[in-house]
Amino acid sequence: MTIDASHESSAFGFEGQTYYEHRRLRLYDAVVVHASNRLLWRCPKSRLLDHYNDWITSHHLEVGPGSGYYLDHCRFPTDKPELTLLDLNPDPLKFVAHRLRRHTPRCVQADILEPLPDLVGSGFTSIAYNYVMHCLPEPPGGKQIVFKHLREALAPDGVLFGSTVLSQGVKHTPLSRRFNILYQRQGSFHNQHDSVHGLHRALEEHFASHWIEVRGSVALFAARASETTVSRLRGASGPDE
């Protein structure tokens, strides 16, 4: 397995972060996917998996793949999808590439706060940006710059989808608020100013149509690059599980 990285990108030579070391990624499914989603953020993995099943296509770019749980369990529309993984950290790329070795994914090391290098490719019919936004530090121009960069990698009729833990415009329990603040202080989360309104404005600025669904402390979203309306599909608004 090889990881492509542009010499012109700040990601070139980046060795990774402790939080995403292999030994911690082995616990990611249990801690984040199963426990935190249900007990803290109140957006269970089943809803997020439905989100993937609704939108994923056979030519897909996964931004910040984490442990690869959703890619491992979702339903691709074909047995042989063209799958590209993108992350600033090499450890998740290696971990997920091995987990999904049946799909032989491409791995690209890049920083989504910068314009994506040509080696990432373009014309993706789906891009997932799942549980990444709340981890991103706020750049001078705002996090909305990421939507511009990802929009440029989409096919004309492509869809961007994902989810993120927000601090404003969503309901927090005393426990979820406490952990949200704790993760901010640790530097794991950078979502102090992230809001439903801000997410709506960012998607509206860079996409022709979009929708947002709030589940607990999480906003799920999907956005179309073209004028095709993004409709909420089956399962998009069921009761909390």
Side-chain angles (χ1 to χ4, degrees):
M1 192 275 296
T2 60
I3 297 176
D4 297 327
S6 170
H7 288 70
E8 298 176 357
S9 171
S10 63
F12 185 76
F14 184 77
E15 296 181 355
Q17 297 169 315
T18 303
Y19 185 80
Y20 292 101
E21 287 179 344
H22 181 87
R23 61 187 177 86
R24 293 196 176 190
L25 285 168
R26 293 177 63 185
L27 301 174
Y28 189 95
D29 286 2
V31 175
V32 177
V33 175
H34 295 281
S36 295
N37 281 341
R38 178 175 291 275
L39 301 177
L40 293 181
W41 318 129
R42 301 166 340 277
C43 183
K45 69 180 188 298
S46 58
R47 177 64 194 100
L48 294 169
L49 186 57
D50 284 344
H51 196 40
Y52 268 76
N53 289 333
D54 285 343
W55 299 111
I56 202 160
T57 70
S58 58
H59 187 201
H60 180 73
L61 171 63
E62 186 76 9
V63 177
S67 68
Y69 175 88
Y70 298 105
L71 290 176
D72 195 18
H73 290 84
C74 73
R75 296 188 301 269
F76 283 97
T78 177
D79 292 335
K80 296 182 178 180
E82 296 179 52
L83 179 60
T84 299
L85 310 175
L86 185 150
D87 205 299
L88 176 63
N89 298 280
D91 289 325
L93 294 175
K94 297 173 184 176
F95 187 92
V96 178
H98 178 75
R99 184 172 188 170
L100 299 175
R101 57 192 180 278
R102 65 188 183 276
H103 294 316
T104 59
R106 286 184 62 235
C107 295
V108 179
Q109 188 177 2
D111 185 351
I112 57 173
L113 293 175
E114 301 174 350
L116 299 182
D118 291 340
L119 58 84
V120 172
S122 60
F124 294 99
T125 48
S126 63
I127 297 177
Y129 180 43
N130 191 60
Y131 271 33
V132 176
M133 181 174 158
H134 57 246
C135 299
L136 288 180
E138 188 82 24
K143 293 184 182 182
Q144 63 267 22
I145 192 66
V146 173
F147 292 112
K148 178 180 183 295
H149 297 158
L150 297 180
R151 167 66 181 82
E152 293 169 350
L154 274 176
D157 59 345
V159 63
L160 170 78
F161 68 93
S163 62
T164 187
V165 178
L166 299 177
S167 292
Q168 302 173 27
V170 296
K171 294 181 179 179
H172 275 282
T173 65
L175 183 62
S176 71
R177 190 175 303 279
R178 187 174 304 163
F179 270 87
N180 193 43
I181 292 172
L182 173 64
Y183 292 154
Q184 291 169 359
R185 290 174 176 170
Q186 290 178 340
S188 302
F189 280 15
H190 298 273
N191 62 348
Q192 290 89 332
H193 306 294
D194 292 0
S195 67
V196 173
H197 180 64
L199 178 60
H200 169 74
R201 285 191 305 171
L203 291 171
E204 188 175 48
E205 179 180 355
H206 296 291
F207 294 89
S209 60
H210 72 275
W211 68 257
I212 296 173
E213 173 193 344
V214 174
R215 289 288 291 264
S217 305
V218 174
L220 299 94
F221 57 88
R224 284 282 187 191
S226 69
E227 293 296 336
T228 304
T229 301
V230 175
S231 300
R232 299 179 75 177
L233 301 184
R234 181 176 60 84
S237 56
D240 286 346
E241 299 177 42

